[in-house]
Amino acid sequence: MSAIEILFPFNLRPLTYLCPAGFEYKAAPGTFVYAPLKGTTKMGIVYGINPDFKGKTDTLKDISGICAHRSALSQEIMALIAWIAQYYLAEPGLVLSFVLPRAFFTEKPIPAPRRIADMPKTSFKPQKINKEELLLATGSGDTNKAVLLHSPSYDYQLSYICKAAKSAKQALILCPTIEEVKYLGAVFFDTTGIRPIIVHGNLTAAQRLRACEDAASGGKYSIAIGTMSAALFPFIRASLIIVTDEHSPYYKHEQTPRYNARDVAVMRGRIENSRVVLLSCCPSSESYFKTTTNEYTYYKAAATKRPQISVMATRSFKKLIPDRITTSIITSAHKGNKSFVYINKKGYATIICRDCGHVEMCPVCKAALAFHEDKSMRCHRCGFSAKPPEFCPVCSGFDLREVSPGSQRLEQFIRDKTGLILSRIDRDTAKTPAIFKRMALDALRSDVLVGTKLSLNKIVFNKHFKILAAVNPDVYFSFPDYLSAERLYQDVLVMAEMAEKDGRLYLLTALKEELTYKFLENYDYEGFISNELTKRKVLNYPPFWKMASIEFHYNDEKPDIKLEGRKGEVEVLGPVPSEAVIKGYSQSAHMIIKAKDTDALFGAVRRLKALIKQSGLKMNKMRIVIDIDPV
């Protein structure tokens, strides 16, 4: 009798069942079936077939039947599920739950979705795409080799997608955020007249089912546009897969399975023999590196006019912004132009003891507390709040100073200096997407916008500002992240998208000789990324070595795990105490594993799991999170 493995949309491995006579030819991998599970009948999907099962059959149950009213998943999607589960160390059932909505596995009637909303009109004007660039997506050639297309602007990316996807007819397009999905959907419909299938995490169960049905029904055009989940969207056999802003960290899933949608899209293209085009104004170091090893094809589109970037040395932040900049902001406002002042830190300031250097830390997650304008100190990680001390709790000194200004203090400084109408967008003023929309409308009417990273929005503020200034961008280099300079470069280019073509962007830094700023002044991406790769090669960081991040979350039983590295093959950093405390646990520790290749990395992870098992730690009182290729 044949045995088949059934996959259910839960955090489970495939379960083995018997296939009664007469069902063998119907129960192919990808087929939906009914099978008993925990005292009830559930709908699952055939994961694999073993026609010559040699194991014991006494405890195995028969499947209950075949589900004929559900379209089977293709063999390519089944192979993609298996790859994600294996590479990102997750159960295949959990991966399946992200491929299809839970509602797909139920017989309960689902209310029909509301009528399809009209696509909003846009003022987007497509740019010209030449034939050579279009052939990268639609021409013949090795489809196993993805194309990295270095685009000059976000508008170019949108224009390219409209032209290439319409030519391909069957296309899958990924965007980093829901906002960008909706905007691209409107632009695509407005430009081509083709209504795309929209896929993102905020859809209801009925809307997701409708999207699956639309894709399965086929038609002359089948264009799906979505966020990271679209990389797993079934029922569409795309000849072209496009990933916009492929460098974005938003493609990395924050829960298990911790997959990177960009990498999943590339693997899907290989499995389905589809063309994959990665678009970015500032390609990620990983993707650019693969062009140097001939794994990807690199193409740089012709440059367009960009705002001038000027680096200004500011040794003292007592004034926060030099008089020259505030004067330019005032002059610009009098001419009816807008200005944007960016700082990558919310709050008013940080309080430090001048005598001993003590900084008030959060007692819950050990992060530095930020001083706010309402005279409170708050933790931006867990929300802890307290009153500032009257004297230093370490040395009893009274010389407590406010340093490292945040967005609140910057807003007050600019208002006092200019007297202009200001708006501020940060996590304090825009706590929800709905509030952000209202704040963005206010900002569009204001003379000056002061904002943190939340305000870096190339859709809402596209080519809107004449004067832009980044205050203390040096803070990026203080982040404990080997990608910090790359993140700075990417964020500055987003600011450039928000500037008018003849606008001016100032970087106010105390580190004017830092090479990153010199590369930014000249828009010299190749020089910047080559310099970054040189530094990472010396330190055995990705993309030269593979990496895994391990988090231990616990309450009382601290893990005493000492994983030994192997010279030339594996390096281990930690575990060390971590600030990333999650709900249900009071403490956490963090470990980094670097390895020369994938086999060495997975070998180190297997050794770590064995050490944990040998240590006798109570796994039900601890949570371990393994993140392959963290970003």
Side-chain angles (χ1 to χ4, degrees), residues 219-245:
K220 182 179 179 182
Y221 290 100
S222 187
I223 312 293
I225 301 175
T227 52
M228 69 172 73
S229 59
L232 310 176
F233 187 63
F235 307 127
I236 181 170
R237 184 62 183 268
S239 60
L240 173 64
I241 300 174
I242 299 178
V243 183
T244 67
D245 284 342

Side-chain angles (χ1 to χ4, degrees), residues 18 45 161 182 197 202 221 242 268 302 350 379 398 426 474 477 520 615:
L18 294 177
I45 196 165
I161 290 167
K182 293 179 178 178
I197 301 167
N202 282 359
Y221 290 100
I242 299 178
R268 179 171 179 172
T350 299
C379 175
F398 287 91
D426 56 24
D474 308 333
F477 300 114
L520 277 167
S615 68

Side-chain angles (χ1 to χ4, degrees), residues 276-301:
V276 179
V277 177
L278 308 177
L279 290 171
S280 177
C281 301
C282 180
S284 64
S285 52
E286 295 91 345
S287 296
Y288 182 80
F289 176 74
K290 288 179 180 179
T291 68
T292 66
T293 60
N294 205 33
E295 188 175 346
Y296 292 175
T297 298
Y298 180 67
Y299 185 93
K300 186 172 183 179

Side-chain angles (χ1 to χ4, degrees), residues 397-413:
F398 287 91
D399 194 0
L400 304 179
R401 300 290 180 91
E402 298 170 9
V403 298
S404 187
S407 54
Q408 281 188 8
R409 186 177 177 189
L410 188 59
E411 177 192 25
Q412 180 182 317
F413 175 85

Side-chain angles (χ1 to χ4, degrees), residues 175-281:
C175 300
T177 65
I178 293 175
E179 181 188 27
E180 290 173 80
V181 167
K182 293 179 178 178
Y183 182 67
L184 175 56
V187 166
F188 188 83
F189 181 72
D190 207 19
T191 304
T192 66
I194 302 167
R195 178 180 285 275
I197 301 167
I198 300 298
V199 183
H200 55 72
N202 282 359
L203 297 181
T204 64
Q207 288 170 332
R208 290 199 66 183
L209 280 176
R210 174 63 181 268
C212 290
E213 290 168 359
D214 288 347
S217 64
K220 182 179 179 182
Y221 290 100
S222 187
I223 312 293
I225 301 175
T227 52
M228 69 172 73
S229 59
L232 310 176
F233 187 63
F235 307 127
I236 181 170
R237 184 62 183 268
S239 60
L240 173 64
I241 300 174
I242 299 178
V243 183
T244 67
D245 284 342
E246 63 84 28
H247 62 270
S248 174
Y250 293 117
Y251 284 123
K252 182 69 172 178
H253 200 247
E254 294 181 349
Q255 298 175 336
T256 305
R258 298 190 171 224
Y259 65 90
N260 189 312
R262 176 199 63 205
D263 299 338
V264 170
V266 172
M267 179 54 66
R268 179 171 179 172
R270 291 174 182 171
I271 293 173
E272 296 185 343
N273 198 30
S274 306
R275 176 75 67 190
V276 179
V277 177
L278 308 177
L279 290 171
S280 177
C281 301

Side-chain angles (χ1 to χ4, degrees), residues 16-257:
T16 305
Y17 290 82
L18 294 177
C19 186
F23 285 106
E24 295 95 334
Y25 299 105
K26 296 180 181 179
T31 304
F32 286 84
V33 298
Y34 301 103
L37 179 68
K38 293 184 178 181
T40 185
T41 299
K42 296 285 187 183
M43 189 188 297
I45 196 165
V46 178
Y47 192 61
I49 300 176
N50 186 350
D52 301 312
F53 184 68
K54 305 298 182 183
K56 295 182 179 180
T57 60
D58 325 9
T59 58
L60 297 183
K61 298 178 181 179
D62 291 353
I63 62 171
S64 306
I66 306 293
C67 178
H69 64 281
R70 292 283 191 241
S71 300
L73 294 183
S74 68
Q75 299 306 298
E76 290 81 6
I77 290 295
M78 296 304 296
L80 186 65
I81 291 173
W83 178 80
I84 293 172
Q86 179 183 22
Y87 187 79
Y88 293 102
L89 305 178
E91 295 293 359
L94 190 60
V95 179
L96 177 63
S97 70
F98 287 93
V99 173
L100 287 169
R102 290 281 176 88
F104 212 84
F105 295 89
T106 180
E107 295 294 337
K108 294 180 181 179
I110 296 173
R114 298 173 183 173
R115 72 175 186 86
I116 301 176
D118 294 332
M119 284 285 185
K121 288 287 184 181
T122 68
S123 57
F124 179 76
K125 295 181 180 179
Q127 296 182 2
K128 185 178 179 181
I129 306 297
N130 64 46
K131 291 182 179 180
E132 183 182 1
E133 293 164 356
L134 190 60
L135 280 173
L136 296 171
T138 60
S140 59
D142 184 5
T143 55
N144 282 325
K145 186 184 287 190
V147 175
L148 178 60
L149 178 51
H150 188 171
S151 59
S153 68
Y154 185 61
D155 285 352
Y156 174 92
Q157 291 190 51
L158 299 180
S159 304
Y160 188 88
I161 290 167
C162 292
K163 193 81 172 178
K166 184 178 180 181
S167 298
K169 297 183 180 180
Q170 312 289 321
L172 185 60
I173 303 159
L174 273 60
C175 300
T177 65
I178 293 175
E179 181 188 27
E180 290 173 80
V181 167
K182 293 179 178 178
Y183 182 67
L184 175 56
V187 166
F188 188 83
F189 181 72
D190 207 19
T191 304
T192 66
I194 302 167
R195 178 180 285 275
I197 301 167
I198 300 298
V199 183
H200 55 72
N202 282 359
L203 297 181
T204 64
Q207 288 170 332
R208 290 199 66 183
L209 280 176
R210 174 63 181 268
C212 290
E213 290 168 359
D214 288 347
S217 64
K220 182 179 179 182
Y221 290 100
S222 187
I223 312 293
I225 301 175
T227 52
M228 69 172 73
S229 59
L232 310 176
F233 187 63
F235 307 127
I236 181 170
R237 184 62 183 268
S239 60
L240 173 64
I241 300 174
I242 299 178
V243 183
T244 67
D245 284 342
E246 63 84 28
H247 62 270
S248 174
Y250 293 117
Y251 284 123
K252 182 69 172 178
H253 200 247
E254 294 181 349
Q255 298 175 336
T256 305

